[in-house]
Amino acid sequence: MALKPRFKVTANGTDITGTLAELNAEITVIDAAGLESDSVQFIVDDKGGRVAFPSTGAKLAVWLGYDQPTIFMGMYTADTVKLEGWPQRVIVTGRAADQTSALKQRQTKEYIEKTLGQIFEEIAGRNSLSAKVDESIASILVPYHAQQEESDQQYVTRLRDEFDLSVTIKNDVMIVIPKGKGGLGPFVVAPAPFGNLVSYSCEFGERAKHDKVEATWFDRQKSQLEIVEAPVPHSEIGVSGTAAPTFRIRKPYPTKELAEHAARSKAASLGRDEASATFEINGDANVRAEMDVIAMGIRSMVDGNWVSDNVEHRWGTDAARTTITCKPKT
């Protein structure tokens, strides 16, 4: 017997699962890389216009699964309620509940001779979070960095962009990894009878116009600028373009380590932009953003290693689908 998709939802601690099921609710949960990307949407049948909907600000907890909805997707705060017709229905959307209000408080702070790991651990600690920083970046020494009248959320976003990182908060843990590395999973995507792939779409752009990236750093002992290089990890499936061999980062760095990280990060970023893929599978609530996705048995130019960037779970009482949007693994 086929398993039936099921969900469980509480609003401010009260179980409303039965009510939602009676109203033929469809739930969409989006899990994405980023500090405030996760969201949930409920669409319910409002025939007769008599549905009592939760007020904005309500705390919504969501579980998904089959027969027994045991996979906790997160806690959300209802932020909009929309009534529409015809047919009449109610649409409630929510955003991931704030981990802590301190994330949005502005402050000024200097970090001197700190590693990236130490900086993120300090930020996480003052927000009652723990930090999990990937070992490949945790030990990078930053001679000087300053948080200038910024909230921790703004400052973390700036660090993320500057060092080409992925930063998310899951279950009170600030997770920091190189962008495009993945690290969760892996999750295998394959067609029947070996997998549950429903459909796929892959898009290939022109290959990056550069074969390598150069960055410079100032060697104080020699009193001169030194050059470091990193190759661009071209996708085998990109469309050939006109090569311009070297991308040069204009900003000089104070240390060789920072210059090497900048060159590797830029090279990886150029490589990620060459392709994207979307896989739709039968609903699987275990799939998350920043998960290694291995495509197998589909076709050449699609099979290979990807990293999920955005995952959408659509759950009803009769059917469930998961859509995984990916970039090439770098």
Side-chain angles (χ1 to χ4, degrees):
M1 178 180 288
L3 298 177
K4 290 288 188 179
R6 293 290 183 264
F7 54 76
K8 176 183 176 181
V9 180
T10 64
N12 294 327
T14 301
D15 194 331
I16 60 172
T17 304
T19 300
L20 290 175
E22 290 174 1
L23 297 171
N24 298 315
E26 179 180 281
I27 300 175
T28 300
V29 174
I30 295 177
D31 184 74
L35 288 177
E36 283 193 325
S37 300
D38 296 356
S39 63
V40 68
Q41 181 185 78
F42 303 87
I43 301 178
V44 300
D45 186 351
D46 187 30
K47 187 180 295 184
R50 294 189 296 271
V51 169
F53 46 82
S55 60
T56 56
K59 300 299 183 183
L60 306 170
V62 179
W63 291 260
L64 300 179
Y66 288 86
D67 287 350
Q68 295 295 325
T70 58
I71 301 174
F72 181 61
M73 305 305 294
M75 181 73 72
Y76 308 87
T77 302
D79 61 357
T80 64
V81 176
K82 181 180 180 181
L83 309 179
E84 65 177 33
W86 307 95
Q88 288 181 299
R89 59 183 191 170
V90 176
I91 302 173
V92 178
T93 60
R95 297 289 174 183
D98 289 343
Q99 302 292 330
T100 170
S101 59
L103 272 171
K104 298 183 179 181
Q105 295 177 1
R106 293 180 179 273
Q107 57 183 299
T108 297
K109 171 76 176 178
E110 290 183 325
Y111 302 90
I112 302 173
E113 296 294 325
K114 298 283 189 180
T115 65
L116 272 179
Q118 290 171 327
I119 293 174
F120 279 106
E121 285 169 2
E122 184 170 334
I123 295 170
R126 64 172 173 255
N127 288 281
S128 301
L129 306 170
S130 59
K132 184 179 179 181
V133 184
D134 190 84
E135 61 182 11
S136 66
I137 56 174
S139 62
I140 294 176
L141 184 66
V142 182
Y144 179 83
H145 216 275
Q147 183 173 353
Q148 302 169 333
E149 280 300 310
E150 300 168 278
S151 68
D152 282 343
Q153 183 172 312
Q154 291 171 327
Y155 184 54
V156 165
T157 299
R158 184 154 64 87
L159 286 171
R160 178 202 66 189
D161 295 342
E162 181 175 340
F163 291 95
D164 197 36
L165 306 173
S166 173
V167 184
T168 57
I169 297 175
K170 304 290 185 185
N171 299 321
D172 294 327
V173 179
M174 182 177 287
I175 302 170
V176 186
I177 62 174
K179 195 170 185 179
K181 179 178 180 180
L184 300 176
F187 183 82
V188 176
V189 172
F194 305 106
N196 62 355
L197 181 66
V198 175
S199 65
Y200 72 91
S201 172
C202 291
E203 184 173 333
F204 311 118
E206 183 176 272
R207 288 186 60 172
K209 294 181 172 63
H210 305 280
D211 292 325
K212 65 181 179 180
V213 174
E214 284 186 356
T216 59
W217 65 284
F218 188 74
D219 188 329
R220 294 185 180 277
Q221 292 184 338
K222 297 180 181 179
S223 296
Q224 67 182 35
L225 287 176
E226 298 286 349
I227 298 174
V228 296
E229 299 178 349
V232 174
H234 291 299
S235 168
E236 297 180 357
I237 50 185
V239 180
S240 298
T242 303
T246 304
F247 181 97
R248 293 180 175 86
I249 299 175
R250 294 185 179 183
K251 171 188 174 182
Y253 291 87
T255 68
K256 181 180 181 181
E257 187 179 33
L258 286 176
E260 288 176 337
H261 176 78
R264 288 195 303 268
S265 296
K266 184 61 181 179
S269 176
L270 291 172
R272 284 195 302 271
D273 290 341
E274 293 182 353
S276 63
T278 300
F279 303 103
E280 184 179 46
I281 63 174
N282 293 322
D284 191 328
N286 290 296
V287 185
R288 302 297 173 114
E290 295 295 344
M291 180 172 277
D292 289 317
V293 175
I294 303 174
M296 299 176 61
I298 301 174
R299 60 154 293 164
S300 63
M301 300 178 68
V302 178
D303 290 349
N305 298 317
W306 303 83
V307 174
S308 58
D309 186 58
N310 183 286
V311 179
E312 179 181 286
H313 303 283
R314 301 186 307 281
W315 234 257
T317 54
D318 296 320
R321 288 286 188 270
T322 295
T323 302
I324 313 167
T325 303
C326 302
K327 285 287 190 179
K329 184 176 176 67
T330 56

